[in-house]
Amino acid sequence: MLFLCLAVVLFNTGRTNGLSFHSFGNEFEYIATEMNESLVNFDTSAVKTSWMRQPVNHFDPIDTRTWKMRYFQRHDMWKPKKPIYLFLGGEGPASPVFLKTGIMYDLANETNGAMFASEHRYYGKSKPFQNFTSENLAYLSARQALADSARLLKLIKSMPKFRSSKVVVVGGSYSGNLAAWMKLLYPELVDAAIASSAPVLAKKYFYEYLETVSDDFEQYGPAGCWDKIAAMFSRYEKLFQSDDGIETLKVEENICDSCDMSKSENRELFFMEKASQFMYRAQYGNPGVIKDYCESNFTSNFRKVKNQNLIWNERSECYYYDFDEMIVSIRSIDWLTAWIYQTCTEFGYFQTGSSDDQPFTKNISVEFYYRMCTKLFGPDFNEERVDRGVRDSNKLYGGLKPNVSHVVFVNGDMDPWSRLSVLEDLSYESPAKIISQSSHCRDLFSDRESDHEELKDARAYIRYLIKDWIGEGNYKKP
């Protein structure tokens, strides 16, 4: 979600008072970076940056305040009466890379389509307010963002040249939710949708996330890997049970002397950071990545896992686990504040360690996330508020059974987020596609030489479905 998603709490750009907080960031950051690496000598003049006025509140006609939403467009491949493709922005800055490569680009190239990419309100440069107070964040929701996209599509369709064009929306992770929900709430505007790795079920206790990480390492790691993980985390847990053990752990893990590791929330930060190494590789990796990590005794690097340690004190050159300092740093990172607000008010998605079917112990509790919500946004953002948001989201959008047609739900079977997605066909016109040995949002990329055949075949199947649904037929089914 997508990511991000809130698999862990911080990304590697936050710095406050000499503290660096590290995690793996949002989906768009990761996907856009990897897609960009495949581009060579792209003519950037083909993509235009545009802005559109949007209401602060679509659902209050008395509120006349507006703000400017950023979006990108590219029309050089378009021919009259051909389709419109819109890549929906998610929990991070929008990127023009989705108009240069990837499955949407491939579809536009094959059908002479026009391409657009929107930026989600409160992310990137599309900010209704500069100050992210709880009061100002009240207008941040999927429902408001969907209304933004609907107004953008209406603007596009008002242009004479696009009036007869079919509309396809595309999204991955949280924006994959939005793609499916656009077809649900605005069927008159959207003809087809790709919902990639979309966790459409809002859920408070997302214990299944670590279960899937566990399954990935058990299935693809060499013999004994899972047991080594379990032994390592069990030892951490045992050391935290005594003062001497904590001192031993501080020396071994280079934890700052001033850290009070007797506090439960600081211990949970430690376990979250340690588990995030495995979470990242399950969410974005492949069987080879997992095998290499196990064989390296959990030291090998993987893409953007740079200094994949939650807190580093540059002055003292030690790791500093402090919940209150974490809250301060989150407030300095707008996109992260915004995404946590959405999890606290709409989706939950709290990856806890409450399951017995995983080796990372039970030292990441749902109470940790409640404390984060109330510390960031105020006492009203408590468990009851989370429960209400989760309930309302599933009621509005339909959870795992959204009432949609002409939407394809795509998931990699390695992806922990797939546990909240549609994995069985809803109908003949709303199929689910599961790709073996594949991770988060891999179907959104263009084919690469290193991709296995099932992944390439899945992309061909998705393109076939979309072209069939929008009347660009006469294509052989893969």
Side-chain angles (χ1 to χ4, degrees):
M1 227 330 47
L2 220 301
F3 246 304
L4 168 183
C5 50
L6 194 62
V8 285
V9 288
L10 290 170
F11 178 55
N12 60 12
T13 56
R15 294 180 180 272
T16 303
N17 298 326
L19 299 176
S20 296
F21 295 79
H22 300 280
S23 174
F24 39 88
N26 57 72
E27 307 304 312
F28 276 39
E29 176 78 20
Y30 181 91
I31 295 170
T33 298
E34 188 170 348
M35 282 185 171
N36 263 320
E37 291 174 355
S38 67
L39 297 173
V40 179
N41 298 325
F42 175 75
D43 181 7
T44 57
S45 64
V47 176
K48 178 184 176 183
T49 302
S50 301
W51 297 85
M52 178 185 180
R53 283 279 173 191
Q54 294 280 11
V56 168
N57 187 351
H58 288 276
F59 309 106
D60 182 0
I62 298 175
D63 190 342
T64 59
R65 293 173 297 172
T66 62
W67 58 283
K68 290 200 298 183
M69 181 184 80
R70 182 172 64 160
Y71 66 99
F72 302 102
Q73 53 183 313
R74 178 179 178 182
H75 302 168
D76 58 314
M77 295 187 293
W78 184 79
K79 291 183 178 179
K81 298 184 180 180
K82 290 299 182 176
I84 294 165
Y85 296 92
L86 171 61
F87 198 102
L88 296 169
E91 70 283 20
S95 173
V97 72
F98 300 108
L99 281 62
K100 305 173 186 178
T101 184
I103 196 167
M104 187 179 81
Y105 169 85
D106 294 336
L107 276 164
N109 188 39
E110 292 169 4
T111 62
N112 299 115
M115 291 181 287
F116 298 83
S118 62
E119 188 164 66
H120 195 296
R121 57 170 54 204
Y122 289 85
Y123 295 99
K125 296 183 178 181
S126 298
K127 295 179 180 178
F129 304 95
Q130 293 302 310
N131 188 358
F132 279 19
T133 63
S134 299
E135 181 181 4
N136 288 343
L137 287 167
Y139 308 97
L140 169 58
S141 69
R143 186 168 174 241
Q144 295 279 4
L146 291 165
D148 291 337
S149 295
R151 287 189 82 248
L152 174 59
L153 284 174
K154 288 176 183 177
L155 174 66
I156 295 168
K157 292 285 284 182
S158 71
M159 302 176 191
K161 66 178 183 178
F162 290 133
R163 280 177 186 163
S164 60
S165 295
K166 298 288 186 179
V167 174
V168 179
V169 294
V170 183
S173 197
Y174 165 55
S175 83
N177 292 1
L178 298 178
W181 296 341
M182 278 297 296
K183 193 69 175 71
L184 174 72
L185 297 187
Y186 300 97
E188 75 283 2
L189 292 175
V190 177
D191 297 287
I194 301 172
S196 173
S197 299
V200 292
L201 178 67
K203 196 173 193 292
K204 180 172 65 173
Y205 294 102
F206 188 18
Y207 60 84
E208 296 93 340
Y209 189 100
L210 282 176
E211 286 183 347
T212 305
V213 175
S214 172
D215 292 344
D216 289 345
F217 275 85
E218 186 170 24
Q219 181 174 358
Y220 298 115
C225 178
W226 193 97
D227 292 332
K228 283 202 300 184
I229 298 170
M232 179 170 66
F233 278 81
S234 178
R235 182 172 179 271
Y236 292 150
E237 185 175 57
K238 185 176 181 180
L239 287 172
F240 273 119
Q241 293 173 2
S242 69
D243 292 340
D244 288 344
I246 289 174
E247 291 306 311
T248 297
L249 196 63
K250 281 187 172 183
V251 172
E252 291 180 356
E253 299 293 331
N254 192 23
I255 299 172
C256 301
D257 288 339
S258 58
C259 286
D260 185 356
M261 300 308 290
S262 66
K263 290 184 176 180
S264 62
E265 56 264 42
N266 294 348
R267 292 198 303 271
E268 288 182 278
L269 278 178
F270 175 87
F271 279 97
M272 186 175 287
E273 187 270 330
K274 291 299 181 183
S276 73
Q277 313 289 336
F278 300 88
M279 297 158 84
Y280 189 92
R281 287 166 173 84
Q283 181 164 321
Y284 292 115
N286 55 51
V289 167
I290 288 176
K291 182 174 180 289
D292 289 346
Y293 194 49
C294 291
E295 290 180 343
S296 73
N297 202 28
F298 314 128
T299 59
S300 67
N301 292 324
F302 171 54
R303 285 191 52 75
K304 286 179 72 68
V305 188
K306 296 187 282 187
N307 292 324
Q308 184 66 13
N309 299 291
L310 196 61
I311 301 175
W312 175 252
N313 188 309
E314 294 177 342
R315 293 189 299 269
S316 303
E317 295 189 345
C318 56
Y319 300 114
Y320 192 79
Y321 297 91
D322 186 273
F323 180 83
D324 293 329
E325 288 285 351
M326 179 196 73
I327 295 298
V328 171
S329 189
I330 288 174
R331 289 194 178 111
S332 71
I333 307 171
D334 284 349
W335 75 261
L336 185 56
T337 302
W339 178 239
I340 295 176
Y341 179 87
Q342 289 195 260
T343 65
C344 296
T345 57
E346 295 185 86
F347 308 125
Y349 293 158
F350 298 150
Q351 292 111 327
T352 69
S354 56
S355 172
D356 292 324
D357 297 328
Q358 47 88 16
F360 304 103
T361 72
K362 296 185 177 182
N363 287 285
I364 305 173
S365 70
V366 72
E367 285 76 21
F368 175 90
Y369 295 96
Y370 298 153
R371 288 195 294 271
M372 187 163 59
C373 292
T374 54
K375 279 279 190 177
L376 282 168
F377 308 116
D380 291 340
F381 293 80
N382 52 20
E383 180 180 4
E384 182 181 351
R385 179 70 176 270
V386 173
D387 286 336
R388 185 168 69 249
V390 166
R391 182 179 63 250
D392 290 349
S393 291
N394 289 330
K395 182 179 179 181
L396 177 61
Y397 304 118
L400 292 177
K401 295 185 177 181
N403 184 21
V404 293
S405 63
H406 295 158
V407 178
V408 56
F409 295 89
V410 192
N411 286 277
D413 68 349
M414 290 180 61
D415 181 13
W417 288 99
S418 68
R419 298 288 290 273
L420 299 182
S421 190
V422 175
L423 302 179
E424 297 181 357
D425 294 353
L426 297 176
S427 68
Y428 177 76
E429 293 186 331
S430 288
K433 179 64 176 176
I434 301 174
I435 310 171
S436 69
Q437 299 187 30
S438 187
S439 55
H440 201 59
C441 296
R442 299 311 299 183
D443 53 293
L444 292 181
F445 291 72
S446 295
D447 286 345
R448 300 180 180 190
E449 199 172 312
S450 59
D451 291 337
H452 58 78
E453 288 306 310
E454 185 171 345
L455 177 55
K456 294 178 182 178
D457 290 345
R459 292 184 184 124
Y461 171 68
I462 296 164
R463 296 198 306 273
Y464 160 79
L465 284 177
I466 296 299
K467 288 183 282 193
D468 184 55
W469 289 341
I470 63 174
E472 295 289 329
N474 300 321
Y475 296 92
K476 184 178 179 181
K477 184 175 181 179

